[in-house]
Amino acid sequence: MWLFEMVYGKENKKDGMIMKENIIFLYGTDEVALNIKKEEHIKSYFKENSPDVTVIEAPGSYDAYVNALEGQSLFANSSAVVIRNPFFLKKAAESKKEEKEWERFFDTLKNLSSDTLLIISVDGKPDGRMKITKALLTISQKEECNLLKPEEGAGVMIRMLMNRGKRVEMSARMYLEAVVSTWSTISKPFLETECDKIILMAGDAPAISKRLLEYALPEYMDRGIFKFTEALLKKRADVVLQGADHIFTTSEETLRSIGFLAYRFRQIKIYREMKRNRRPSGEIQKILGFRSQWHMNNFEKEIESVTEYEAEWFLVHLFRYQLNARSGGNTEIKDLLLTYCLWK
């Protein structure tokens, strides 16, 4: 058996095929995680004797793949090959010639020596309906690395902090939920790095506080949008006008900030309308997506000075501003913000 495993890899049959431990199939939307996993697999497989890595970028060719896998270095007894976004996972074979080339390549994979590690890395999710994809999955170790959804990020980060031995205060939990829910992309490895930094900053403190997170999170994660929104809801014109220069910078940041303001005022409009119609508190909390009564109470305190009419007015004029901006108009966002703040 030991000789069999040395030549063919650990025996693990699936659908009549032998799954090989030296063929790794990585795919998903998180490019950072894909790269980290690639490095981890190479280090784990070869231990301290990792060879130079041969990387074949898209589109590649069957000849290039086979030559890389069958070629043996004069200076090393082992080799690592990474195939990124191979062309054969984009579309099915269109001719008999292509089918024969695929069969030759697949035979190479099935007989791949344990001295060689192959990692196939795909950005996104491959089409599982394709015969080629199904065949690869029968002989390879697969691992999916996806970006987290905005609504998942805070929970993942809180668990990471707790797994590192820290209690996360309720105010800090709610702050994380508010911050992370506005991010467009969330990479798990990035969250792990940030959690490591937060743990170092916390030192011997048993709990993670909201104040620590406000200081610890990098500026580009927040951009002060939460303090800015608090000032806007309280109609503090001086703070709002001063903060606008830091909130509405690039076109990307402007879109993100406007999106958050629209989200918050839409919540206020929904809350006021449901309250006016005497809907149960539990139903309102569920509709607004608040996971705890504590979160609901803080929201109510934050918006206590904003009426339903004011929320609707701001939303309408915010959308008008966006439409005008897309049409090439010269409307300033500060004009809208100042008008709202001075409204008695």
Side-chain angles (χ1 to χ4, degrees):
M1 178 62 75
W2 67 269
L3 180 60
F4 180 91
E5 290 185 4
M6 179 178 291
V7 177
Y8 294 104
K10 184 176 179 181
E11 184 175 16
N12 184 1
K13 291 189 177 181
K14 181 179 180 182
D15 297 333
M17 293 287 186
I18 297 175
M19 187 174 291
K20 302 177 69 67
E21 293 206 335
N22 58 330
I23 300 179
I24 312 297
F25 193 5
L26 301 177
Y27 61 92
T29 56
D30 192 337
E31 294 184 18
V32 175
L34 287 172
N35 189 59
I36 290 176
K37 286 296 181 182
K38 178 198 69 177
E39 298 297 331
E40 288 179 351
H41 280 293
I42 293 173
K43 185 176 181 180
S44 174
Y45 192 80
F46 294 105
K47 309 304 180 187
E48 301 299 326
N49 301 310
S50 296
D52 292 336
V53 181
T54 300
V55 180
I56 304 177
E57 300 282 352
S61 68
Y62 285 123
D63 285 339
Y65 301 151
V66 172
N67 290 336
L69 293 173
E70 293 184 341
Q72 188 70 43
S73 170
L74 296 175
F75 306 101
N77 295 322
S78 58
S79 61
V81 178
V82 176
I83 298 177
R84 296 198 69 249
N85 297 313
F87 70 93
F88 56 78
L89 290 177
K90 300 296 182 181
K91 61 178 182 177
E94 297 179 342
S95 66
K96 291 292 183 180
K97 180 181 178 181
E98 283 188 45
E99 289 181 2
K100 288 183 178 180
E101 289 179 334
W102 156 251
E103 290 172 1
R104 173 189 166 216
F105 173 62
F106 193 59
D107 284 339
T108 302
L109 298 185
K110 289 188 292 183
N111 296 288
L112 190 64
S113 167
S114 61
D115 291 334
T116 301
L117 173 68
L118 169 63
I119 297 178
I120 299 175
S121 180
V122 178
D123 297 337
K125 189 170 184 177
D127 190 346
R129 298 168 299 179
M130 290 177 57
K131 291 182 179 180
I132 290 178
T133 304
K134 293 178 180 179
L136 281 175
L137 292 175
T138 61
I139 64 170
S140 62
Q141 314 290 324
K142 70 173 182 177
E143 193 165 354
E144 188 171 6
C145 304
N146 286 326
L147 292 167
L148 298 173
K149 297 178 181 177
E151 61 269 23
E152 298 173 337
V156 171
M157 202 168 184
I158 290 169
R159 286 194 296 274
M160 288 178 178
L161 293 170
M162 294 178 67
N163 290 338
R164 288 163 171 78
K166 296 295 185 181
R167 178 173 58 84
V168 183
E169 295 179 357
M170 184 59 72
S171 59
R173 290 172 179 245
M174 306 320 300
Y175 179 75
L176 277 177
E177 288 187 2
V179 172
V180 178
S181 65
T182 66
W183 298 350
S184 55
T185 57
I186 307 176
S187 174
K188 190 173 180 180
F190 179 72
L191 291 187
E192 290 174 341
T193 301
E194 289 305 312
C195 285
D196 289 340
K197 182 182 70 175
I198 291 169
I199 293 297
L200 288 175
M201 294 179 66
D204 296 330
I208 304 297
S209 66
K210 176 184 176 183
R211 186 171 184 178
L212 174 61
L213 292 180
E214 289 176 333
Y215 182 75
L217 292 180
E219 182 183 0
Y220 64 83
M221 285 178 149
D222 188 333
R223 296 291 186 186
I225 185 62
F226 301 101
K227 292 181 179 179
F228 177 85
T229 304
E230 290 176 6
L232 182 63
L233 294 177
K234 295 177 181 178
K235 298 182 179 179
R236 297 185 57 185
D238 55 336
V239 178
V240 169
L241 292 181
Q242 184 178 4
D245 292 330
H246 303 287
I247 298 298
F248 305 98
T249 52
T250 65
S251 58
E252 181 180 356
E253 289 299 329
T254 297
L255 284 174
R256 181 182 297 180
S257 297
I258 288 178
F260 181 80
L261 291 177
Y263 167 74
R264 179 60 84 209
F265 276 85
R266 193 180 298 112
Q267 281 186 317
I268 299 172
K269 166 65 176 171
I270 293 172
Y271 172 83
R272 294 297 185 202
E273 185 175 336
M274 294 187 75
K275 273 290 187 181
R276 175 166 50 82
N277 288 282
R278 300 182 179 181
R279 306 306 303 168
S281 179
E283 181 183 350
I284 298 176
Q285 181 176 325
K286 182 178 180 180
I287 291 295
L288 293 179
F290 295 145
R291 301 181 183 179
S292 68
Q293 186 60 45
W294 188 93
H295 196 170
M296 183 74 169
N297 293 340
N298 274 267
F299 172 74
E300 291 175 332
K301 183 177 180 180
E302 181 183 0
I303 68 165
E304 59 186 359
S305 63
V306 184
T307 67
E308 180 182 346
Y309 181 78
E310 288 173 332
E312 183 175 342
W313 182 92
F314 187 84
L315 281 172
V316 170
H317 285 77
L318 187 63
F319 294 147
R320 287 179 179 173
Y321 163 79
Q322 286 185 290
L323 180 61
N324 188 54
R326 291 170 184 168
S327 303
N330 296 319
T331 305
E332 286 284 342
I333 186 66
K334 285 185 177 180
D335 294 338
L336 169 58
L337 299 173
L338 184 59
T339 301
Y340 177 80
C341 289
L342 297 179
W343 191 358
K344 300 297 183 182

